[in-house]
Amino acid sequence: MCRLSTKRKIPILALANGLWVGEIPNELQELTYAEQLLIAKVRHNRCIVKVSSGMYKMRANAISFSNPMPKIYNVLPPPIEEMDEVLAFIYTGPCKPTKVDFKRTPMLVRRLNVSKALYWFETQSHSTIMTEISEKNLAIISRGWTSSSCRLLSIKFK
């Protein structure tokens, strides 16, 4: 460390304070926000994401607020209907979004990534409470676009 950095106070939640949790496995590194929601066992908040697009760029804003009662899942991924209660995606722009636009959003869900992450958790789980992996719910995710195996959880046009 240089002399200047030793004069400043280190933030409480900094990695330098020993909060390093270790290497992140490959199966979890590239997950989008929506994919992380699909593999989470506990739902403690809700999120609304608004994506605006113009001619060349997209801008996204997210608002999260807590659930009055957290929900714990024994089956992952949860049904899409339940995800619609937790995550809302609003797309605004001059025209209807294309597949290319959807692929650029933070709400992209790739079935293969979700599946790999869930099976990684299953092999690494040391707890006595096991979570069931629902092939039926994974198959619903894969009914998105056939070319890219992607699906948006909830779309509302404004």
Side-chain angles (χ1 to χ4, degrees), residues 8 16 19 25 34 39 50 57 77 86-87 105 123 139 151 155:
R8 295 183 186 146
L19 295 177
I39 66 168
K50 177 185 167 194
K57 67 178 182 175
V86 175
L87 182 66
T105 68
T123 60
R151 175 185 166 99
I155 305 168

Side-chain angles (χ1 to χ4, degrees), residues 43-111:
R43 300 268 179 276
H44 53 79
N45 61 14
R46 296 175 182 229
C47 184
I48 299 171
V49 177
K50 177 185 167 194
V51 176
S52 304
S53 95
M55 293 287 287
Y56 301 106
K57 67 178 182 175
M58 271 187 172
R59 187 177 69 213
N61 297 310
I63 302 170
S64 288
F65 49 96
S66 65
N67 275 340
M69 179 91 136
K71 183 164 185 175
I72 300 173
Y73 290 97
N74 293 325
V75 176
L76 291 174
I80 288 291
E81 299 80 31
E82 288 191 28
M83 289 304 297
D84 285 339
E85 295 174 10
V86 175
L87 182 66
F89 176 79
I90 302 167
Y91 185 92
T92 61
C95 57
K96 187 175 179 179
T98 64
K99 288 182 182 181
V100 173
D101 291 333
F102 285 141
K103 288 180 184 179
R104 294 172 33 201
T105 68
M107 298 296 107
L108 187 66
V109 175
R110 298 159 295 183
R111 183 195 56 80

